[in-house]
């Protein structure tokens, strides 16, 4: 009996050592941390960020959170809107010049033409499939809006009327992204397939995921390729000459227990990937090799979204009012 107990004891110890080892990261650290934590007057979960110019910007999030900056994102002030007693989630904000849009749920559309000095709530049809989840300002009086079931609409009259761009919604989606040419990419809620829509098409084109791993997020690379984040810390890029074929998957931090949530390009070669528990990774060679920004690990937040407004201006929005601002240095310039 004693021998059996000792054997089990050895097994438990070896298993603990094994789990500790696979949890260790061999990913090299970045030589310089370019991200600064910005203190905000909120603990809401942030969703999106947009600017009217280099200094004037807006942050949106849960609990009808709306924050304004006039100094390039160094300081932010809360803005209260009279929207009644409904507790809205502001999910997306977009500007072209002084004209801006905010969408959220339950079905909400806000519009401004004076840089946000005043906001008008525009009624949405009760027949709208799903809740609005993204909006993109396209120019004077024009915008595109998507919903959480993959419906796409365009307005050219300041939101008074909306034209359906697809005949049928794609189903509940977890993420949806827009390319510069107006194409859209949507990941299904279960992460088991994705769909692509191109301007002029009547319906989405469905695509099966390329492995058994659940897809977390997808988007368009600057060179027209697709990128994919999957469970288990997997990053993958499609081939440039065939979007249905994929390059070999990369694991920036092998055997990681936290999920990858978003990816963004600062330059054609510099890529940042954000994830749960304050994890942030970077590639300086287009995704071939990866480094980790360990100075951000102490940030107590899941990092939801990375937005680069230009190579010199970027932000990461996160959980519980966490905002990171990119600070360019000679090491990353």
């Amino acid at each position: 009996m004693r021998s059996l107990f000792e054997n089990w004891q050895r097994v438990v110890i070896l298993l603990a050592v094994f789990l500790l080892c696979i949890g260790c990261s061999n990913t090299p650290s970045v030589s310089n941390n370019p991200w600064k934590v910005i203190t905000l007057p909120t603990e809401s979960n942030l969703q999106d960020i947009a600017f009217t110019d280099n200094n004037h910007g807006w942050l949106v999030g849960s609990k009808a959170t709306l924050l304004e900056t006039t100094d390039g994102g160094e300081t932010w002030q809360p803005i209260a809107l009279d929207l009644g007693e409904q507790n809205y989630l502001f999910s997306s904000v977009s500007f072209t010049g002084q004209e801006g849009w905010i969408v959220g749920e339950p079905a909400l559309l806000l519009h401004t033409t004076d840089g946000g000095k005043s906001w008008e709530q525009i009624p949405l049809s009760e027949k709208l499939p799903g809740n609005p989840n993204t909006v993109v300002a396209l120019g004077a009086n024009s915008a595109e809006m998507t919903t959480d079931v993959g419906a796409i609409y365009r307005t050219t009259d300041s939101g008074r009327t909306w034209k359906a761009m697809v005949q049928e919604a794609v189903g509940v989606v977890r993420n949806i992204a827009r390319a510069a040419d107006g194409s859209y990419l949507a990941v299904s809620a279960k992460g088991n397939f994705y769909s692509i829509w191109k301007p002029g098409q009547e319906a989405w084109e469905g695509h099966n995921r390329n492995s058994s791993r659940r897809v977390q997020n997808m988007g368009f690379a600057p060179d027209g390729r697709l990128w994919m984040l999957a469970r288990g810390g997997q990053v993958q890029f499609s081939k440039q000459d065939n979007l249905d074929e994929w390059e070999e998957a990369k694991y920036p931090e092998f055997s990681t227990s936290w999920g990858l949530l978003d990816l963004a390009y600062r330059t054609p070669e510099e890529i940042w990937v954000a994830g749960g528990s304050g994890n942030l990774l970077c590639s300086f060679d287009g995704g071939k090799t990866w480094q980790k920004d360990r100075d951000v690990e102490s940030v107590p937040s899941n990092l939801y979204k990375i937005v680069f407004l230009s190579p010199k201006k970027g932000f990461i929005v996160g959980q519980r009012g966490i905002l990171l601002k990119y600070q360019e240095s000679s090491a990353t310039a």
Side-chain angles (χ1 to χ4, degrees), residues 173-189:
V173 299
R174 61 187 296 123
N175 305 103
I176 191 165
R178 186 182 189 273
D181 67 358
S183 300
Y184 281 90
L185 175 61
V187 179
S188 67

Side-chain angles (χ1 to χ4, degrees), residues 49-57 69 72-73 76 95 309 313 315:
I49 187 170
F51 277 71
T52 66
D53 55 37
N54 193 49
N55 292 314
H56 187 207
T69 181
W76 296 80
F95 273 86
L309 303 166
K313 194 176 187 67
F315 295 87

Side-chain angles (χ1 to χ4, degrees), residues 253-267:
E253 191 165 24
F254 188 70
S255 297
T256 180
S257 60
W258 46 269
L260 304 179
L261 301 178
D262 195 26
L263 179 152
Y265 284 76
R266 189 181 79 89
T267 69

Side-chain angles (χ1 to χ4, degrees), residues 234-306:
Q234 177 179 295
V235 181
Q236 201 167 12
F237 300 90
S238 67
K239 294 185 177 180
Q240 194 163 10
D241 56 348
N242 188 343
L243 299 185
D244 290 324
E245 295 185 6
W246 292 83
E247 296 177 355
E248 182 180 355
K250 300 289 185 180
Y251 298 87
E253 191 165 24
F254 188 70
S255 297
T256 180
S257 60
W258 46 269
L260 304 179
L261 301 178
D262 195 26
L263 179 152
Y265 284 76
R266 189 181 79 89
T267 69
E269 293 298 317
E270 185 177 320
I271 307 170
W272 288 86
V273 172
S277 303
N279 281 282
L280 193 58
L281 297 156
C282 181
S283 174
F284 295 99
D285 55 13
K288 297 181 179 66
T289 62
W290 293 87
Q291 300 176 26
K292 187 169 184 177
D293 191 336
R294 287 183 167 80
D295 289 345
V296 179
E297 284 184 309
S298 60
V299 175
S301 174
N302 293 326
L303 304 177
Y304 292 142
K305 185 174 184 177
I306 311 171

Side-chain angles (χ1 to χ4, degrees), residues 14-59:
L14 289 172
L15 180 60
V17 171
F18 173 74
L19 292 175
L20 180 62
C21 288
I22 65 172
C24 296
S25 171
N26 293 322
T27 306
S29 299
V30 296
S31 59
N32 172 70
N33 169 37
W35 298 96
K36 174 184 177 181
V37 178
I38 302 297
T39 302
L40 296 180
T42 182
E43 290 189 354
S44 297
N45 293 334
L46 304 177
Q47 301 293 317
D48 200 10
I49 187 170
F51 277 71
T52 66
D53 55 37
N54 193 49
N55 292 314
H56 187 207
W58 296 87
L59 261 175

Side-chain angles (χ1 to χ4, degrees), residues 147-160:
T147 74
D148 54 13
V149 293
I152 305 172
Y153 292 91
R154 173 176 285 196
T155 182
T156 56
D157 58 6
S158 300
R160 305 305 170 193

